[in-house]
Amino acid sequence: MTGTFSISDAVELAVVERSGFTESRHAGSAVVLSPEGELLRALGDVATPVFPRSAMKPFQAVAVMASGVTLRGEDAAIATASHSGTAAHVALVRGLLARDALPESALGCPPAAPLDQTARDELVRSGGARERVYMTCSGKHAAMLLACSANGWPLDGYLDPAHPLQKRILDVLERLTGERPAATAPDGCGAPVHAVSLTGLARGIQKITTAAHSSPFALFREAAALTEGVRENAWAVAGPGQPDTVAIERLGVFAKFGAEGVMVMTAPDGTTTALKVLDGSSRASTIIGLRLLANAGAIDDAAVDRVATELDLWIMGGERRVGEVRASF
């Protein structure tokens, strides 16, 4: 089976500078779509399929919501989140499960400790153990279980690609991206992830993030509700100081990172980007996405400069800042 695009198909997207010396370079590919869905910019190979990883969560959440599960506000945000496991995140996940008296043991994601350092420290001090509810994808899994409960689908095996829920998600993904996935594999949380092109991924995310509450189609009404929930509850999508949360709160974009260097973003005017850093590093993906939107005129470049100071892009020399990670285009 072939993998993602090769280095020969990629372009430099970001550099790491230490005291004016370029120490490392991040190559990859990116696509930018206009608010009308037209191709504005293509950097590298934007046609070869990639796994979106957690950037597929908006499709999964919309599929759940269109399957009879009402999710609004914080509940919609946690369903598409890669959360950091704070007490507030865990409360939302447990709240979803409590709707249908679903046990935490039904969650198919692996046990984990919180990613948030404060929450992790509290867990250690209390003598607590890793639990499925702390796992960064537990909100998505709780929402999936609710969809199974609402439709009479079995809870057991809900992560199997042949399960009715996963077939529904695949149908939504194909409908919104306009592509049939080139490959399917288990994601890190155990749920199926499907390979589509960056162009298809951007197209699908744009349809979700520009959908109208007044649409005659339930799928798009739910997409509008999801987008509103994310933009109004940025804290739930990731967590304090996390790049997605910072970008959403400060700039009003819809931002969703995916592991292995994937990022999708939509500006308030509908301009959308999807990108993948080839080496799998996510440290530059947020600033790359923001610069792409700024270069397209969709968000203010000076505002991106201000937000960049909150994205942990500094290169340290002892206790001094001696460089930064920055987009190179």
Side-chain angles (χ1 to χ4, degrees), residues 242-269:
Q242 295 298 309
D244 281 358
T245 292
V246 171
I248 297 166
E249 286 182 340
R250 301 292 185 270
L251 296 169
V253 301
F254 181 103
K256 189 71 198 74
F257 111 103
E260 297 299 322
V262 177
M263 172 61 68
V264 295
M265 283 185 182
T266 299
D269 73 348

Side-chain angles (χ1 to χ4, degrees), residues 204-239:
I205 289 293
Q206 185 175 61
K207 288 179 180 178
I208 290 174
T209 55
T210 61
H213 289 284
S214 60
S215 172
F217 302 104
L219 179 67
F220 293 104
R221 293 195 299 271
E222 296 301 332
L226 175 70
T227 302
E228 181 178 75
V230 166
R231 285 191 163 130
E232 294 182 355
N233 300 277
W235 71 269
V237 176

Side-chain angles (χ1 to χ4, degrees), residues 10-300:
V11 301
E12 183 180 281
L13 296 177
V15 296
V16 181
E17 291 184 342
R18 181 181 297 275
S19 297
F21 180 85
T22 299
E23 185 173 22
S24 300
R25 303 177 189 274
H26 291 300
S29 293
V31 64
V32 183
L33 302 181
S34 74
E36 296 75 33
E38 298 173 349
L39 179 66
L40 287 180
R41 191 174 191 181
L43 298 172
D45 179 2
V46 298
T48 297
V50 301
F51 283 130
R53 301 299 299 274
S54 284
M56 207 180 95
K57 285 178 179 173
F59 300 95
Q60 294 164 323
V62 168
V64 164
M65 294 164 71
S67 297
V69 179
T70 300
L71 298 173
R72 298 292 184 268
E74 295 174 335
D75 287 342
I78 198 68
T80 197
S82 296
H83 68 76
S84 55
T86 68
H89 288 119
V90 172
L92 285 180
V93 177
R94 286 177 169 153
L96 291 183
L97 294 173
R99 287 192 186 187
D100 286 352
L102 297 167
E104 291 182 24
S105 59
L107 292 169
C109 53
L115 297 176
D116 180 80
Q117 189 62 54
T118 300
R120 183 188 289 260
D121 290 347
E122 290 176 355
L123 181 67
V124 172
R125 282 194 295 267
S126 68
R130 293 169 174 259
E131 297 183 34
R132 298 179 190 278
V133 73
Y134 296 135
M135 200 267 170
T136 188
C137 302
S138 63
K140 174 182 77 175
H141 283 258
M144 287 181 174
L145 289 171
L146 283 178
C148 293
S149 180
N151 289 277
W153 299 329
L155 301 184
D156 291 342
Y158 77 93
L159 298 181
D160 189 317
H163 189 280
L165 169 67
Q166 298 304 331
K167 289 182 177 180
R168 178 69 58 84
I169 291 169
L170 178 58
D171 178 70
V172 168
L173 180 73
E174 290 180 347
R175 178 175 173 183
L176 295 178
T177 63
E179 295 182 3
R180 288 187 177 275
T184 297
D187 206 337
C189 67
V193 62
H194 308 290
V196 295
S197 72
L198 287 175
T199 300
L201 180 60
R203 183 187 304 119
I205 289 293
Q206 185 175 61
K207 288 179 180 178
I208 290 174
T209 55
T210 61
H213 289 284
S214 60
S215 172
F217 302 104
L219 179 67
F220 293 104
R221 293 195 299 271
E222 296 301 332
L226 175 70
T227 302
E228 181 178 75
V230 166
R231 285 191 163 130
E232 294 182 355
N233 300 277
W235 71 269
V237 176
Q242 295 298 309
D244 281 358
T245 292
V246 171
I248 297 166
E249 286 182 340
R250 301 292 185 270
L251 296 169
V253 301
F254 181 103
K256 189 71 198 74
F257 111 103
E260 297 299 322
V262 177
M263 172 61 68
V264 295
M265 283 185 182
T266 299
D269 73 348
T271 304
T272 299
T273 185
L275 65 97
K276 178 174 171 63
V277 178
L278 187 57
D279 64 11
S281 173
S282 295
R283 65 176 171 176
S285 56
T286 300
I287 193 62
I288 294 168
L290 292 176
R291 291 297 184 199
L292 286 168
L293 293 180
N295 287 358
I299 55 178
D300 182 64

